[in-house]
Amino acid sequence: MTAVLFDFSGTLFRVESTESWLRAVLSESGHPLPEPELKATADALEAAGALPGGASPVRLPQDLAEVWAVRDESAQLHRAAYTGVSRRVPLPDPRLHDALYERHMTPAAWAPYPDAAEVLRTLRERGIGVGVVSNIGWDLRPVFRAHGLDRYVDAYVLSYEHGVQKPDPRLFSVACAALGADPRQVVMVGDSKEADGGAAALGCRVHFVEHLPVADRPDALLPVLDLVG
């Protein structure tokens, strides 16, 4: 294998909990809520699927179904989809829905999995190309820089920058080309069989990890090092 492609959310990084997300925004905006109400609101936001990188909607509103299906194809669609489901949950100030969306794009909202740095560093040492292929509506590069992992990434291929989202093989093809790698000599690592599994159409080997909290998944990325030899 000459290169490894990684998904972002649920693979290399995990977003903060919905409660932490809401708590941070309420604190920064000066809109405190009584603790029981805060927790109930966080639960409602989670059920709505309002946190990008978090849980999927329990029930997607019909009027948002069309935009939700293509939300990762542009920054505008991504914001519209997630603030759209967020607005189903009452907040003390309507402007908080946009503040929540802004919060999730900050490095503080994301934590790398414990073994991410070791795996990326080892791949670099072995001369293996590394790409990040993500269905996303914003620039995640600052997250990698803030956590000291940008130095190990050779290429970022983000759906909103190409107007194509996984599992479309075209996105993986762009990543392989950016790394100068034959897809048949590439491993795609991700947490979604539906989205990340699209790389198999090009001949890539696909390796899946579970989308778990950071504390519950200390070493799931380490087997990737065995796959590349």
Side-chain angles (χ1 to χ4, degrees), residues 197-212:
L202 295 178
C204 297
R205 181 169 182 173
V206 184
H207 178 75
F208 296 107
V209 293
E210 291 187 85
H211 190 150
L212 297 173

Side-chain angles (χ1 to χ4, degrees), residues 172-193:
F172 304 105
S173 181
V174 169
C176 291
L179 296 172
D182 183 331
R184 293 168 297 180
Q185 296 178 324
V186 173
V187 179
M188 174 66 208
V189 183
D191 66 298
S192 170
K193 291 185 177 180

Side-chain angles (χ1 to χ4, degrees), residues 31-176:
H31 288 87
L33 286 176
E35 199 64 20
E37 186 177 349
L38 187 151
K39 292 188 175 182
T41 302
D43 288 345
L45 287 167
E46 180 150 351
L51 173 59
S56 298
V58 172
R59 185 177 296 104
L60 183 65
Q62 188 59 40
D63 62 312
L64 288 174
E66 186 173 344
V67 67
W68 188 266
V70 294
R71 64 191 181 280
D72 296 313
E73 292 184 4
S74 77
Q76 295 76 18
L77 289 169
H78 194 268
R79 180 182 286 270
Y82 282 101
T83 58
V85 293
S86 171
R87 292 182 197 284
R88 266 52 180 188
V89 180
L91 294 177
D93 184 329
R95 292 174 295 183
L96 291 174
H97 295 286
D98 283 312
L100 284 169
Y101 187 83
E102 296 295 330
R103 163 74 186 182
H104 103 273
M105 296 188 287
T106 65
W110 296 88
Y113 281 95
D115 53 348
E118 178 184 352
V119 168
L120 293 176
R121 182 177 62 251
T122 302
L123 291 173
R124 169 56 57 87
E125 291 170 352
R126 294 183 184 179
I128 303 296
V130 170
V132 172
V133 184
S134 177
N135 278 353
I136 199 165
W138 51 277
D139 187 4
L140 51 72
R141 295 172 182 87
V143 175
F144 279 77
R145 287 196 292 270
H147 291 279
L149 299 184
D150 178 66
R151 73 190 79 172
Y152 305 123
V153 179
D154 300 297
Y156 294 93
V157 179
L158 312 181
S159 61
Y160 84 101
E161 294 181 338
H162 297 274
V164 176
Q165 62 187 32
K166 299 181 289 185
D168 193 316
R170 288 178 292 173
L171 205 62
F172 304 105
S173 181
V174 169
C176 291

